[in-house]
Amino acid sequence: MTPTERHSPNSGPTPASPAPARQIRIFDTTLRDGEQSPGASMNLTEKMEIAQALVQLGVDIIEAGFPIASPGDFESVRDIAGAVRGVTVCGLARCNEADIDRAWEALKQAERPRIHVFLATSSIHREFKLRMNEEEVLARAIAGVTRARGLCNDVEFSPEDAARTEIDFLCRVVERVIAAGATTVNIPDTVGYATPTQMFSVIKSLRDRVPNIDKAVISAHCHDDLGLAVANSLAAVEAGAGQVECTINGIGERAGNCSLEEVVMAMRTRRDYYGCDTRITTQKLVPTSRLVANITGIQVPRNKAIVGRNAFAHEAGIHQDGMLKERSTYEIMRPEDVGLERTDLVLGKHSGRAALADRARALGYQLSPEQIQTVFERFKLLADRKKEIYDGDIAALCEQQFSELPELFVYEGYDLTSASGSPPTVTLRVRQQEEQKTVVVTAGDGPIDGIFLAIEKLTGIVTTCRDFRVQAVTVGKDAQAEVTVELEHAGQVQRGRGVSTDSLEASAKAFLAAVNRLALGSQPRLHPQRT
Ligand code: KIV
Ligand code: ZN
């Protein structure tokens, strides 16, 4: 693939010289498309935290949500737009006046607002979903972009399902929306159907055939249904796209979106080949990935490129031997460049607050002095239960700080007797305001079920458990257990997380955290309607 050079925002090829790298804009849609992952909805505080982390990471554009989808979505786009600086904040809108006006209402306080309008263009969508012909789609796209441009100078248009749209029609739509004022044209592979060569050829055709293409930035938005989202996005960049849309950990609708950390590190590591780079501070990739995993409850697979726990673990003896002789034999990136420290075993019982604060900072956590004090107190308690404190433990303690919300019910402790084949007896102690409450239940299929039933009895909140996961935070028999649960009650779904060296206590804390959220009635939220 050898794209031809063009002097446009999407400019071209990969010169083999030390020429300055072409800057690719990183458009992060973790808070919009990412939130469309089943079970990943986030509350306002969590979205704000992620938005701030994305600013620190150095993304160019944050797609903060779909303002018309729900009052909660509107508020989070509005609040993020008002709070963050130094990045573009974008809101999604279908191609109609109500959506576009609502998006603008949410975005207008942003330092750099962008309205993102989308309308499907493929024949399948035209015929079965929109029931519109080509001319009607074209007219609606132009009207939508014109309206958005009347409100905002930065307008992105997405022909939804572009990768399955007839290329002649796609070129016509792109030309007309640019003429109507679109400053970015995003090419979505909405259903993850494209292949890299095809994606390359779509972008190249747009660059070759659309006369006003140099007036807009071409963007790629690829889904991962065939596991090709990153490869397709890179092919689009090779063909001259100037923006990539992606999410942290690749979360998103169905199989997800292009993973930010992968596409960024591919461009950084293979700058010799792509001749491109981004503004991303790559040392913040792992901390941001952890933050998003903890908030969404969608854990990163161990073998995930860049941010998976095994991504830099060398197991084979031959590899270890090679690494000891010369790192580059088996390592194409340095773990510290993505925010993973090489030294894993760090602190113990006698370590002081300064060492802990230093370690937390190295792991990417910016904590206030009060937060450091709280983490330090918990660290001391943990050090009494566990001899060696690893980076994973420290990360878990820091994240606990971020995920804590006001608690109606505070976990105090449990007693339990259990034997296989008969229901356990659980005594659970919880504080509600100043009152200590105790409940005893003999019920459940094993200790964890017994604890959950006890919490339900004590709080009066009966739930359906939609997800329950336990994983070890670090290695060793004394490793802390991290439990995440997802509970449903009265149409609301909430997640909770608990960490402890005692996996039953971690389960109780996680369950109670989710019950607290249900009890405090975090705003119910509709998932964005796509059409
Ligand atoms: O996948 C898709 O087509 C989208 C658009 C709204 C850009 O997410
Ligand atoms: Zn999408």
Side-chain angles (χ1 to χ4, degrees):
M1 292 175 186
T2 48
T4 46
E5 179 138 39
R6 301 263 298 249
H7 296 287
S8 75
N10 312 306
S11 64
T14 310
S17 64
R22 184 162 63 98
Q23 287 295 308
I24 303 298
R25 296 179 188 181
I26 294 297
F27 177 115
D28 180 278
T29 182
T30 305
L31 297 175
R32 199 278 298 168
D33 216 326
E35 209 210 10
Q36 287 174 220
S37 308
S41 45
M42 307 165 219
N43 65 32
L44 179 53
T45 321
E46 293 168 333
K47 285 187 177 182
M48 187 62 83
E49 218 174 281
I50 292 181
Q52 300 288 9
L54 293 172
V55 175
Q56 298 296 319
L57 183 64
V59 307
D60 298 283
I61 302 112
I62 296 175
E63 186 162 53
F66 190 179
I68 206 155
S70 73
D73 254 60
F74 177 84
E75 277 168 33
S76 48
V77 176
R78 184 198 55 200
D79 289 4
I80 291 168
V84 300
R85 291 292 173 261
V87 286
T88 298
V89 180
C90 175
L92 185 67
R94 288 166 299 187
C95 209
N96 65 58
E97 292 183 1
D99 273 44
I100 293 167
D101 293 355
R102 188 85 174 136
W104 178 241
E105 197 50 38
L107 289 165
K108 62 187 182 193
Q109 300 302 332
E111 185 185 39
R112 299 184 208 159
R114 172 181 294 187
I115 302 178
H116 178 186
V117 182
F118 74 102
L119 178 65
T121 49
S122 66
S123 59
I124 301 176
H125 282 238
R126 290 195 314 264
E127 187 179 343
F128 298 108
K129 186 179 84 173
L130 300 175
R131 299 191 193 288
M132 287 164 77
N133 63 30
E134 286 189 1
E135 297 316 309
E136 289 166 328
V137 167
L138 199 54
R140 172 131 17 133
I142 294 167
V145 170
T146 307
R147 185 165 190 96
R149 194 54 209 266
L151 299 167
C152 182
N153 283 336
D154 188 347
V155 173
E156 172 166 328
F157 178 78
S158 287
E160 192 189 8
D161 204 19
R164 290 192 300 172
T165 299
E166 307 90 314
I167 192 67
D168 290 348
F169 183 52
L170 188 65
C171 287
R172 273 177 75 207
V173 172
V174 167
E175 181 180 350
R176 299 294 296 276
V177 294
I178 293 174
T183 43
T184 300
V185 279
N186 179 43
I187 304 303
D189 179 21
T190 304
V191 291
Y193 183 72
T195 66
T197 318
Q198 183 195 349
M199 199 67 192
F200 182 93
S201 120
V202 171
I203 305 296
K204 185 168 185 323
S205 300
L206 293 174
R207 294 188 64 208
D208 289 344
R209 293 175 50 186
V210 174
N212 55 0
I213 196 70
D214 59 344
K215 303 279 186 302
V217 174
I218 303 177
S219 166
H221 175 113
C222 300
H223 278 270
D224 207 30
D225 300 67
L226 295 174
L228 292 172
V230 173
N232 287 341
S233 305
L234 289 169
V237 166
E238 261 194 282
Q243 174 179 292
V244 171
E245 302 202 351
C246 43
T247 58
I248 301 292
N249 299 337
I251 62 170
E253 185 84 31
R254 305 181 310 279
N257 287 63
C258 169
S259 140
L260 182 148
E261 52 282 359
E262 292 179 23
V263 79
V264 163
M265 285 314 288
M267 284 189 265
R268 179 74 45 97
T269 309
R270 296 307 312 275
R271 200 175 136 159
D272 62 316
Y273 178 75
Y274 291 108
C276 296
D277 208 347
T278 67
R279 288 198 316 118
I280 296 295
T281 303
T282 58
Q283 292 77 2
K284 297 205 184 292
L285 286 171
V286 168
T288 315
S289 157
R290 285 192 186 135
L291 176 73
V292 170
N294 279 312
I295 286 182
T296 59
I298 302 177
Q299 295 305 325
V300 171
R302 275 172 182 254
N303 64 332
K304 164 105 170 49
I306 318 296
V307 292
R309 205 191 290 184
N310 290 356
F312 292 90
H314 300 272
E315 186 70 23
I318 295 173
H319 290 207
Q320 288 173 352
D321 180 55
M323 284 283 294
L324 289 172
K325 289 177 176 145
E326 165 56 46
R327 268 167 81 158
S328 61
T329 50
Y330 286 102
E331 208 166 74
I332 59 164
M333 296 167 277
R334 297 184 312 167
E336 51 270 41
D337 290 343
V338 301
L340 261 184
E341 292 296 317
R342 249 173 199 285
T343 50
D344 204 23
L345 173 59
V346 276
L347 303 176
K349 201 179 172 108
H350 302 293
S351 307
R353 195 192 338 243
L356 175 74
D358 193 53
R359 209 63 218 135
R361 211 172 309 113
L363 289 168
Y365 298 99
Q366 322 272 346
L367 302 177
S368 66
E370 297 75 45
Q371 287 174 321
I372 288 181
Q373 180 58 28
T374 313
V375 172
F376 185 61
E377 283 161 18
R378 290 181 179 158
F379 164 78
K380 285 287 174 189
L381 290 175
L382 181 62
D384 278 340
R385 297 167 86 168
K386 191 171 185 291
K387 215 168 111 218
E388 293 163 334
I389 310 277
Y390 295 89
D391 281 352
D393 293 314
I394 295 170
L397 290 172
C398 294
E399 270 147 22
Q400 220 172 316
Q401 275 287 303
F402 292 125
S403 57
E404 262 166 16
L405 290 171
E407 288 179 313
L408 189 59
F409 304 104
V410 181
Y411 170 80
E412 300 256 282
Y414 75 89
D415 297 313
L416 188 139
T417 49
S418 178
S420 47
S422 50
T425 297
V426 179
T427 306
L428 182 82
R429 293 181 301 284
V430 163
R431 190 163 36 80
Q432 186 178 5
Q433 271 124 19
E434 293 317 309
E435 196 188 340
Q436 168 103 36
K437 294 187 164 182
T438 303
V439 71
V440 183
V441 295
T442 300
D445 188 5
I448 292 179
D449 195 25
I451 287 176
F452 289 179
L453 291 170
I455 293 175
E456 289 187 330
K457 184 162 178 207
L458 194 143
T459 60
I461 296 177
V462 177
T463 65
T464 305
C465 186
R466 294 195 358 174
D467 198 16
F468 171 78
R469 279 160 211 259
V470 193
Q471 64 170 13
V473 170
T474 58
V475 293
K477 288 203 209 86
D478 63 353
Q480 294 196 89
E482 177 183 63
V483 175
T484 48
V485 296
E486 191 175 290
L487 304 182
E488 189 174 348
H489 167 77
Q492 253 198 92
V493 177
Q494 292 289 351
R495 275 184 308 279
R497 175 172 171 271
V499 181
S500 171
T501 44
D502 169 353
S503 54
L504 295 182
E505 183 169 88
S507 305
K509 285 181 172 174
F511 200 88
L512 201 58
V515 166
N516 269 318
R517 289 177 165 204
L518 291 167
L520 292 169
S522 291
Q523 201 174 35
R525 187 178 171 284
L526 296 171
H527 261 281
Q529 296 302 307
R530 302 287 304 279
T531 54

